[in-house]
């Protein structure tokens, strides 16, 4: 037996509110991740706040490191933060695209097919 699940398509206002909810969650994740990077670079690599922010931003967006890490702890932090940032970058893309793809699926009734 196939269970048919019918939902109505959200109005433009409802969709905008849903999209803004996803976007605000995404911004919180990015802010949290950027804070981890800035504090980590400040503490482990002894960079000033601006350089720490610059390095964390570049790593988080996938551009790559800017400053050389001088000690082992800084290199370990930088490596782990780069791995974490890759996961956050891909997850952020998924969070951003999810409501749009869902709306398109609802619009074209792809949700109804098994």
């Amino acid at each position: 037996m196939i269970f048919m699940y019918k939902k109505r398509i959200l109005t433009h206002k409802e969709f905008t509110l849903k999209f803004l909810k996803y976007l605000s969650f995404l911004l919180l994740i990015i802010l949290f991740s950027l804070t981890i990077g800035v504090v980590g670079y400040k503490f482990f690599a002894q960079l000033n706040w601006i350089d720490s922010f610059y390095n964390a931003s570049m790593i988080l967006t996938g551009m790559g490191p800017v400053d050389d890490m001088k000690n082992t702890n800084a290199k370990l932090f930088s490596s782990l933060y780069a791995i974490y940032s890759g996961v956050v970058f891909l997850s952020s893309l998924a969070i951003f695209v999810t409501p749009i793809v869902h709306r398109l699926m609802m619009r074209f009734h792809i949700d109804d097919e098994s």
Side-chain angles (χ1 to χ4, degrees):
M1 180 167 92
I2 297 175
F3 177 71
M4 298 301 278
Y5 181 70
K6 295 275 187 180
K7 281 180 90 172
R8 66 177 179 81
I9 296 176
L10 297 178
T11 64
H12 184 67
K13 183 178 179 180
E14 291 171 328
F15 173 73
T16 302
L17 290 174
K18 181 180 180 179
F19 185 74
L20 289 174
K21 182 177 77 169
Y22 276 71
L23 189 60
S24 62
F25 181 63
L26 172 64
L27 292 175
L28 283 174
I29 290 172
I30 291 171
L31 182 63
F32 175 75
S33 299
L34 194 57
T35 302
I36 289 172
V38 170
V39 172
Y41 279 116
K42 176 71 177 160
F43 179 73
F44 291 112
Q46 287 84 36
L47 298 175
N48 63 45
W49 289 107
I50 296 297
D51 288 339
S52 296
F53 176 73
Y54 185 46
N55 271 288
S57 299
M58 295 299 279
I59 291 284
L60 193 58
T61 57
M63 300 302 285
V66 179
D67 292 309
D68 289 332
M69 299 296 109
K70 305 290 186 215
N71 59 47
T72 303
N73 289 336
K75 290 175 184 178
L76 287 173
F77 170 77
S78 186
S79 298
L80 293 174
Y81 184 67
I83 293 168
Y84 168 80
S85 294
V87 172
V88 168
F89 182 78
L90 293 174
S91 300
S92 298
L93 180 63
I95 291 169
F96 183 75
V97 172
T98 295
I100 298 167
V101 170
H102 186 254
R103 184 165 177 91
L104 288 173
M105 288 174 64
M106 292 292 288
R107 172 80 75 204
F108 295 113
H109 305 290
I110 295 174
D111 277 350
D112 294 341
E113 296 180 17
S114 297

